Amino acid sequence: MCYKCAVHYWIALLLSVCCTFAHEPGLSSADFRVTQGGLELVLTFAVGDMDNVFGLDNDGDGKVSQLEFGYGKSRVAAMGEQAAIVTVDGQPVTGSDPALRMDDMNNVEFIIRYPQKLGSNFVYRCGIFSQLPRGHRQFATLKDPSGK
């Protein structure tokens, strides 16, 4: 094989490996709902994004089963306390310990309840954005008790 052909072969091989390991940035959601007792947050991430952060796929088959999620759940749950940073009227708000589950659509959900009433100035920030893949986006909503 000629030298030029070999160089082209190796360049093509390296580019294909780079493309194989590229990860499409994910989309997560932060859905706040005002309740009689305060606020409830359902924070949803694709299981693939959580796998990138925590290495949940133990058998390396490219999928995270409920069993594998169960093994890594405590590591993911520890992050849940940092996942949402909420302030109401300039004061930090502390939520409950997050409930955590992986649903049938391969999403990881954190459910956090905040006992404080919603004030006139509500601010939310995702505290783990720096750990997620570059280009990750998050859609946030705030709904009244009737869901509007």
Side-chain angles (χ1 to χ4, degrees), residues 8 25 31 38 46-47 56 60 63 68 76-77 79 90-91 106 109 114 118 130 138 140-141:
H8 286 149
D31 298 313
V47 74
L56 299 173
K63 301 174 190 168
E68 289 171 317
V76 179
M79 180 203 63
Q91 298 300 314
N106 284 335
E109 291 184 341
Y114 298 90
L118 188 62
S130 63
Q138 187 172 72
T141 59

Side-chain angles (χ1 to χ4, degrees), residues 3-144:
Y3 175 75
K4 192 174 185 178
C5 294
V7 169
H8 286 149
Y9 170 79
W10 284 107
I11 290 173
L13 181 64
L14 289 172
L15 286 175
S16 68
V17 169
C18 291
C19 294
T20 301
F21 289 112
H23 173 26
E24 180 70 24
L27 175 67
S28 56
S29 65
D31 298 313
F32 285 90
R33 187 172 57 90
V34 177
T35 64
Q36 287 188 356
L39 287 170
E40 180 180 87
L41 167 62
V42 177
L43 194 55
T44 307
F45 296 94
V47 74
D49 289 334
M50 295 292 99
D51 181 35
N52 284 340
V53 175
F54 296 102
L56 299 173
D57 181 15
N58 294 329
D59 60 10
D61 67 352
K63 301 174 190 168
V64 177
S65 68
Q66 287 287 347
L67 183 62
E68 289 171 317
F69 179 72
Y71 290 141
K73 190 174 181 178
S74 62
R75 290 178 292 163
V76 179
M79 180 203 63
E81 296 173 6
Q82 308 163 23
I85 300 168
V86 176
T87 60
V88 175
D89 294 331
Q91 298 300 314
V93 178
T94 303
S96 64
D97 286 336
L100 180 64
R101 73 182 193 108
M102 186 173 91
D103 67 16
D104 295 335
M105 295 174 45
N106 284 335
N107 294 311
V108 174
E109 291 184 341
F110 295 88
I111 301 167
I112 306 169
R113 291 181 176 80
Y114 298 90
Q116 292 80 355
K117 298 284 185 186
L118 188 62
S120 61
N121 186 5
F122 170 78
V123 177
Y124 160 73
R125 187 172 65 86
C126 182
I128 60 166
F129 239 67
S130 63
Q131 297 175 40
L132 298 172
R134 185 179 187 148
H136 186 91
R137 298 168 310 275
Q138 187 172 72
F139 183 72
T141 59
L142 175 61
K143 297 179 181 175
D144 67 15

